[in-house]
Amino acid sequence: KATEQLTEMSQWFFDCKQAKKDGTQPPRRPRFCKKQPRVVFDWEKNYVPRKQTEPPLPVSKPAQQHTPNPYVYDALASPRVVEARKKRPSLETSQFGDLRTTWTQPADLYPRGFPYFVRGRDSARSYISELFQTRITMYDGAMGTMIQKHKLEEDAFRAERFKDYDMLIKGNNDLLSITQPQIIKDIYKKYLVEGGSQLIGTNTFSSTTIAQADYKMEDLVYELNYDSARLAREACDEVTKMDPTKPRFVVGAIGPTNRTASISPDVNDPTARNCTFDELVEAYYEQCVGLVDGGADILIVETIFDTLNAKAAVYAVNEFLEDAGIDIPLFISGTLVDQSGRTLSGQTGEGFYASIRHAKPMCVGLNCALGASAMAPFLKRLSDCAECFVHVYSNAGLPNAMGGYDDTPADMARENVVFAKNGWVNMMGGCCGSTPPHIKAIYEACKDFAPRPLPTLGPPQMWLSGLEDFKIGPDTYNNCGLPFVNVGERCNIAGSRKFKRLIMEGKYPELMDIAKDQVEAGAHVVDINVDDGMLDGLAAMQKFVKMAVTEPDVSRVPFMIDSSKFDIVLAGLKWNQGKAIVNSISLKVGEELFIEHATLLRKHGAAVVVMAFDEQGQAATKEDKVRICKRSYDILVNEPVCFPPEDIIFDPNILTIGTGIEEHNAYGVDFIDACKTIKEICPWCKISGGVSNLSFGFRGANVIRESIHAVFLTEAAKSSGMDMGIVNAAEMLALKDVEEDLLEMCTDAVMNRTDKATEQLTEMSQWFFDCKQAKKDGTQPPRRPRFCKKQPRVVFDWEKNYVPRKQTEPPLPVSKPAQQHTPNPYVYDALASPRVVEARKKRPSLETSQFGDLRTTWTQPADLYPRGFPYFVRGRDSARSYISELFQTRITMYDGAMGTMIQKHKLEEDAFRAERFKDYDMLIKGNNDLLSITQPQIIKDIYKKYLVEGGSQLIGTNTFSSTTIAQADYKMEDLVYELNYDSARLAREACDEVTKMDPTKPRFVVGAIGPTNRTASISPDVNDPTARNCTFDELVEAYYEQCVGLVDGGADILIVETIFDTLNAKAAVYAVNEFLEDAGIDIPLFISGTLVDQSGRTLSGQTGEGFYASIRHAKPMCVGLNCALGASAMAPFLKRLSDCAECFVHVYSNAGLPNAMGGYDDTPADMARENVVFAKNGWVNMMGGCCGSTPPHIKAIYEACKDFAPRPLPTLGPPQMWLSGLEDFKIGPDTYNNCGLPFVNVGERCNIAGSRKFKRLIMEGKYPELMDIAKDQVEAGAHVVDINVDDGMLDGLAAMQKFVKMAVTEPDVSRVPFMIDSSKFDIVLAGLKWNQGKAIVNSISLKVGEELFIEHATLLRKHGAAVVVMAFDEQGQAATKEDKVRICKRSYDILVNEPVCFPPEDIIFDPNILTIGTGIEEHNAYGVDFIDACKTIKEICPWCKISGGVSNLSFGFRGANVIRESIHAVFLTEAAKSSGMDMGIVNAAEMLALKDVEEDLLEMCTDAVMNRTDKATEQLT
């Protein structure tokens, strides 16, 4: 291709010069891309080229097994055979004394083995294979030339039988087999005896109903074929008898007819045709019946000038052979009409061969049209490509002026010998002008040359064709240098609005221009799809294809006939002479119809696209794509279909990424991964797909779409073996042409490397639209969003050496009892903590209590039950250890709804009051928790129903609202201890009674801590987003009191449940852990969130992952979801929680969604069916029910799920800082900022010291405007928002609280984590207590002394915050590298060890970024000192982070923003890439990537930051 490419490039230079002269737009530069390597699969590497001993075999069993043709046709009962035989003449009319159709010979007629042949005993296929490899075999010569020598007139053609025929019939040579049989038989014998032919063709060139219609002799077709074949049979048998070592064979000749299916007979209408494919098939089938009935050994489809006719003929032949259940070798002979080397319908010899290759002809070749010398180059090309035997029978030169042929036998022999000499042929003969002497002369000239050897078979290749052939193999590349086939999409209604409009308007000539443009632009194949509800697709497909095949610039390439309707596909195929691809079939129609469709397409020789659909629908996941494609492959390549594997193209469904729906993000990488697996397990198959589907979410933004495609195709084609796809070839980009920032974003999106990819591309997409609009409006275009190529980061030894750890239990809380698995003694009498004592002041008196004692000791005798799992004894065994083993042994059942069961009792006000509250001064019906006091038997009975009938092993206490906050609605705050104690004690008694019945299944009391009826994150006042009706401290106090009652009552486990506001949950877990610390015991903690709708978020706006990240510091033993949604709606969110949780996971869903009356309609069977998905997918360790569920529901879930294994604990990866706002944010190896650095941008603009505007607005109390500043930061690329309100003129405590309370209600702000920033610890703490996410606190340090430092750090750990530790100590701020390292290491050692036990991954050191460029010499090293210290600190403090206030560095150049941001770019690139700096307080909107820094500034800033020269400050100044 080199010369062609250079010529094209040369022409482009000339065209550019001309365009410059003319003042016109220069043409687009031709694109030639470097070829990319492709993945090679094992089945390719291991393929061993195969030496053929015979040509490729047809798929039929008789052919595959070389079953001899029995030559007994009497009993053939196929309807089509029967129909053809209806045209048999009567015995009175026929020239023969019988109409026999049996030609078998006695098995002992001749000796066994080559060179002898006996019909019925020997396989003609095997014999011809040996014959053609033994010697060049002679075919006969021209029948017409020999007939002309008899100079027959009209009466000779008519004879007696047709003497009164009503039209002239002279010239109907085939009729002579009936009217002059002796002449015909004599000609046969002359070729056999004089010419030395071993195979002779029957006189049936025009013996089809189509050709005989010219003489109105359609009804004679059977007789013409039968008689001609029978005469040849007799002649061959008579001559064979003379020399049985040279058996003679009858070749049933099937001519092209006198009509063409590919060429219009009307110059004004290129879509007109005078015959159809089906008419041709019918005519050829009828001819086959006559020829075979007459005794033909072989069939030859000859003189093919239109390959579509040949395809119809081979289709008919193979249909007949299938109906007859026999094997007859098929030869096919094409005719190239002139020196172009093409058929009349425009195909090259190679294109012709590729089009009919599916028929597995035994021999293929050329005949007629040209003399031998003119044929030579084309025969060579055919010989070079054909996998079977090759023949030639040329004319005796070119016709003279009179239409005769002048070549003598010697001339013809001389011209033909080149074929034999070069080893191009296995069979030779003559066509027009040749006679027996010509054949004899050729034989004599060629007899000493060896026949053409069968070629060694290379690996299977898809071999398509239009007018030209197209092999898809290792050397197939597209215009972007990819090993990929471009299937042009623009002739697809779904791929081009212009195409759709034109086809709707019926403008077919204009449609051809679209097709031509595609081919010119680089489409290897043209996709044709006309599926539209407003269009007659059948008619449109046929018209388009019929016109397209007459346009050489279109039809030179293969077509993809594309429709969801199989009849349209078939209609398109039947007008296409090339080997096309059909798009598509699939298993969605069921296996039976799938097999039928596939078999039909194989018979037509089409390659096929198989969609990854089955009876259940479309494959979306990698697993389903692979499963469906493998199943389809196994059906296709095996019997009965026997589809060539190289002609199978799987389309595993390219689905749209970037939709905003999280599960769609993996569609690109799932396709790529599936592609590779499918190719690995389905040898020789191809993979395709509709590439534009991938980027459909960005329609209108073509640059983005094509960039996405470039990334996707490069990865899919190079690494996973994707072979082809439907694309817009003209618009395709090579990877090298994709803009740098788009390349990074698109790679993120396609490979699903980050969940920010869609957001970034959407922003970029909007920018393109805004630029278009600006151009229209004549305004300044907006600034381009910035996304830079990701820079590598330094990796420290402790990262490299980390070994992922298989968990045997969930992560443990930091307390010693938890760490050491110390059994809870269940002895609480002596608890003396002031808060415990305070809570117990609300104990009822013995006279008031329902119980005869108020015991707080629940220990059991150590020998009560045997030691070891599954037994459990309180005080002896660790509940934590037991639950760990239980939850890893089986999915454990929790209980169901308490409220639903209470409702079944239909209790009225008096039942709630009972005797004790009969005179209470307000209505208390609905206070279900009170029933533990007033109706204890009902509550205990419900507990026991869940334990016994439901099979629950853990039951929750009836204490959902048993806090002072919730009970305030009933003015029953003083009952809180009693409510919790009584409910827990009733549950304790019920569990112990049921455990006693079966000690191998101990039952556990789970103390239920509800969300209260207030929220700390949501304002109750629509006019004031900072209003709240409870505080964090109030929640902590209420929850602490509840814990005391629950534990005193005998609870084994505590669960914080139905969390719709994570700040409430954080208060609850703070209270629980405070209580456990005060009590010095270990009680497992479960936490259960509630996602309120299909957004998958809590009422306070957090995602499931954000919720988990916010409470993860509490080290819950089990986390999960409950309430709000039915099981089916919960599934995607539970999966996501299961994917991220490091501990056990539970679910207890509602019994469906509430009906109009607020009830729940799901039956136990319904609920079990919906819940089983959780168990089946291995997402859970504990299951139960929430609203609407009852013991039968729990039992049904248990029965449905009992055989599934529980969710295994995940392997723990390296520690990561895991922050959250409304969404979670993990800081790890894949965290990058908008400059491509491995760096977290902490936005500085909500910091009084970082923004004058912020300072002015907060001083003025304009909080809504402050939110706009915060939003702008997040939009500009801040991962975290820094909040600092430290100013002597401001009430920092009030300002911090107000700002945070408002910010958490703004989703565009609070979706990211906050950095609560103050030098005053009380302000930090106040901010933390209004933030539901996991925040960073900035800062603490040793300057307050070690004792207070430890106190601060411990408090922050309890709140779950990450912490910035300044490099200050009692002596002051660290300025030198050595001091920075020393103070940070000392701080680290204090923090990670007891008593603080701070997670090292949550420690952020700020080693003080100090100002350079001040003119003071010792300041010059501050930049490089920080960078060096940063690296050392990271090396010696595993998993810590490094941060700093970046603007400090350049403070000496304030006012010169370009210089400042250039200094920052140099500093951050060096610090982040080489030294591991993780984050910093920056102005994200103004940051520069290193590549954006001007060249001279880059040099100067590097000098300054790295202190390379003492002139740096002067230059920058």
Coordinates of all heavy atoms in Angstrom, one line a residue, residues 580-609:
A580 N -21.9 -11.6 2.3 CA -22.3 -10.5 3.2 C -22.3 -11.0 4.6 O -22.1 -12.1 4.9 CB -23.7 -10.0 2.8
I581 N -22.4 -10.0 5.5 CA -22.7 -10.3 6.9 C -24.1 -10.0 7.2 O -24.7 -9.0 6.7 CB -21.8 -9.4 7.8 CG1 -20.3 -9.6 7.6 CG2 -22.1 -9.6 9.3 CD1 -19.4 -8.5 8.2
V582 N -24.8 -10.9 7.9 CA -26.1 -10.6 8.4 C -26.1 -10.2 9.8 O -25.5 -10.8 10.7 CB -27.0 -11.9 8.2 CG1 -28.2 -11.8 9.1 CG2 -27.4 -12.1 6.8
N583 N -26.8 -9.1 10.1 CA -26.9 -8.6 11.5 C -28.4 -8.4 11.8 O -29.0 -7.5 11.3 CB -26.2 -7.2 11.5 CG -26.0 -6.6 12.9 OD1 -26.5 -7.2 13.9 ND2 -25.5 -5.5 13.0
S584 N -29.0 -9.3 12.5 CA -28.4 -10.3 13.4 C -29.4 -11.4 13.7 O -30.6 -11.2 13.4 CB -28.0 -9.6 14.7 OG -29.2 -9.1 15.4
I585 N -29.0 -12.4 14.4 CA -29.9 -13.4 15.0 C -29.5 -13.5 16.5 O -28.4 -13.1 16.9 CB -29.7 -14.8 14.3 CG1 -28.3 -15.4 14.4 CG2 -30.2 -14.7 12.8 CD1 -28.2 -16.8 13.9
S586 N -30.4 -14.1 17.2 CA -30.1 -14.4 18.7 C -31.0 -15.4 19.2 O -32.0 -15.8 18.6 CB -30.2 -13.1 19.4 OG -31.6 -12.8 19.7
L587 N -30.6 -15.8 20.4 CA -31.4 -16.9 21.1 C -32.7 -16.3 21.7 O -33.4 -17.1 22.4 CB -30.5 -17.5 22.2 CG -29.6 -18.6 21.8 CD1 -28.5 -18.8 22.8 CD2 -30.3 -19.9 21.4
K588 N -32.9 -15.0 21.6 CA -34.2 -14.5 22.2 C -35.4 -15.1 21.5 O -36.5 -15.1 22.1 CB -34.2 -13.0 22.1 CG -34.4 -12.3 20.8 CD -34.4 -10.8 20.9 CE -34.5 -10.1 19.6 NZ -34.4 -8.7 19.7
V589 N -35.3 -15.6 20.3 CA -36.4 -16.3 19.6 C -36.6 -17.7 20.0 O -37.5 -18.4 19.6 CB -36.2 -16.2 18.1 CG1 -36.2 -14.7 17.6 CG2 -35.0 -16.9 17.6
G590 N -35.7 -18.2 20.9 CA -35.7 -19.6 21.3 C -34.7 -20.4 20.5 O -34.4 -20.1 19.4
E591 N -34.3 -21.5 21.0 CA -33.2 -22.3 20.4 C -33.7 -22.9 19.1 O -32.9 -22.9 18.1 CB -32.8 -23.4 21.4 CG -31.4 -23.9 21.2 CD -30.9 -24.7 22.4 OE1 -30.6 -24.2 23.4 OE2 -30.7 -26.0 22.2
E592 N -34.9 -23.3 19.0 CA -35.3 -24.0 17.7 C -35.3 -23.0 16.5 O -34.7 -23.3 15.5 CB -36.8 -24.5 17.9 CG -37.3 -25.4 16.7 CD -38.7 -25.9 17.0 OE1 -39.2 -25.9 18.1 OE2 -39.3 -26.4 16.0
L593 N -35.9 -21.8 16.7 CA -35.9 -20.9 15.6 C -34.5 -20.3 15.4 O -34.1 -20.0 14.2 CB -36.9 -19.7 16.0 CG -37.3 -18.8 14.8 CD1 -37.8 -19.6 13.6 CD2 -38.3 -17.8 15.3
F594 N -33.7 -20.2 16.4 CA -32.3 -19.7 16.3 C -31.5 -20.7 15.4 O -30.8 -20.3 14.4 CB -31.6 -19.7 17.7 CG -30.2 -19.3 17.7 CD1 -29.8 -18.1 17.4 CD2 -29.2 -20.3 18.0 CE1 -28.4 -17.7 17.4 CE2 -27.9 -20.0 18.1 CZ -27.5 -18.7 17.8
I595 N -31.7 -22.0 15.6 CA -31.0 -23.0 14.7 C -31.5 -22.9 13.3 O -30.7 -23.0 12.3 CB -31.3 -24.4 15.3 CG1 -30.4 -24.6 16.6 CG2 -31.0 -25.5 14.3 CD1 -30.7 -25.9 17.4
E596 N -32.8 -22.7 13.1 CA -33.4 -22.6 11.8 C -32.8 -21.4 11.1 O -32.4 -21.5 9.9 CB -34.9 -22.4 11.9 CG -35.6 -22.4 10.6 CD -37.1 -22.1 10.8 OE1 -37.7 -22.8 11.6 OE2 -37.7 -21.3 10.0
H597 N -32.8 -20.2 11.7 CA -32.2 -19.0 11.1 C -30.7 -19.2 10.8 O -30.3 -18.9 9.7 CB -32.3 -17.8 12.1 CG -33.7 -17.3 12.3 ND1 -34.1 -16.4 13.3 CD2 -34.8 -17.5 11.6 CE1 -35.3 -16.1 13.2 NE2 -35.8 -16.8 12.2
A598 N -30.0 -19.7 11.7 CA -28.5 -19.9 11.5 C -28.3 -20.9 10.3 O -27.4 -20.6 9.5 CB -27.9 -20.4 12.7
T599 N -29.0 -21.9 10.2 CA -28.8 -22.9 9.2 C -29.1 -22.3 7.8 O -28.4 -22.5 6.8 CB -29.8 -24.1 9.4 OG1 -29.5 -24.7 10.7 CG2 -29.5 -25.2 8.3
L600 N -30.2 -21.5 7.7 CA -30.5 -20.8 6.5 C -29.4 -19.9 6.1 O -29.1 -19.8 4.9 CB -31.9 -20.1 6.7 CG -32.7 -19.7 5.5 CD1 -32.9 -21.0 4.6 CD2 -34.1 -19.2 5.9
L601 N -28.9 -19.2 7.0 CA -27.8 -18.2 6.7 C -26.5 -18.9 6.2 O -25.8 -18.5 5.3 CB -27.5 -17.3 7.9 CG -28.7 -16.4 8.3 CD1 -28.3 -15.5 9.5 CD2 -29.1 -15.5 7.1
R602 N -26.2 -20.1 6.9 CA -25.1 -20.8 6.4 C -25.3 -21.3 4.9 O -24.3 -21.2 4.1 CB -24.9 -22.1 7.3 CG -23.8 -23.0 6.7 CD -23.5 -24.2 7.4 NE -24.7 -25.1 7.7 CZ -25.3 -25.8 6.8 NH1 -24.9 -25.8 5.5 NH2 -26.3 -26.6 7.1
K603 N -26.5 -21.7 4.6 CA -26.8 -22.1 3.2 C -26.6 -21.0 2.2 O -26.2 -21.2 1.1 CB -28.2 -22.7 3.1 CG -28.3 -24.0 3.8 CD -29.8 -24.5 3.7 CE -30.0 -25.9 4.4 NZ -31.4 -26.3 4.3
H604 N -26.9 -19.8 2.7 CA -26.7 -18.6 1.8 C -25.3 -18.1 1.8 O -25.0 -17.2 1.1 CB -27.7 -17.5 2.3 CG -29.1 -17.6 1.8 ND1 -29.4 -17.3 0.5 CD2 -30.2 -18.1 2.3 CE1 -30.7 -17.5 0.3 NE2 -31.2 -18.1 1.4
G605 N -24.4 -18.7 2.7 CA -23.0 -18.3 2.7 C -22.8 -17.0 3.4 O -21.7 -16.4 3.2
A606 N -23.7 -16.5 4.2 CA -23.5 -15.3 4.9 C -22.7 -15.5 6.2 O -22.8 -16.6 6.8 CB -24.8 -14.6 5.2
A607 N -21.9 -14.5 6.6 CA -21.4 -14.5 8.0 C -22.5 -13.9 8.8 O -23.5 -13.3 8.3 CB -20.2 -13.6 8.0
V608 N -22.5 -14.1 10.1 CA -23.6 -13.7 10.9 C -23.2 -13.1 12.2 O -22.2 -13.5 12.9 CB -24.5 -15.0 11.3 CG1 -23.8 -16.0 12.1 CG2 -25.8 -14.5 11.9
V609 N -23.9 -12.0 12.6 CA -23.8 -11.4 13.9 C -24.8 -12.0 14.8 O -25.9 -12.1 14.5 CB -24.0 -9.8 13.8 CG1 -24.0 -9.2 15.2 CG2 -23.0 -9.2 12.9

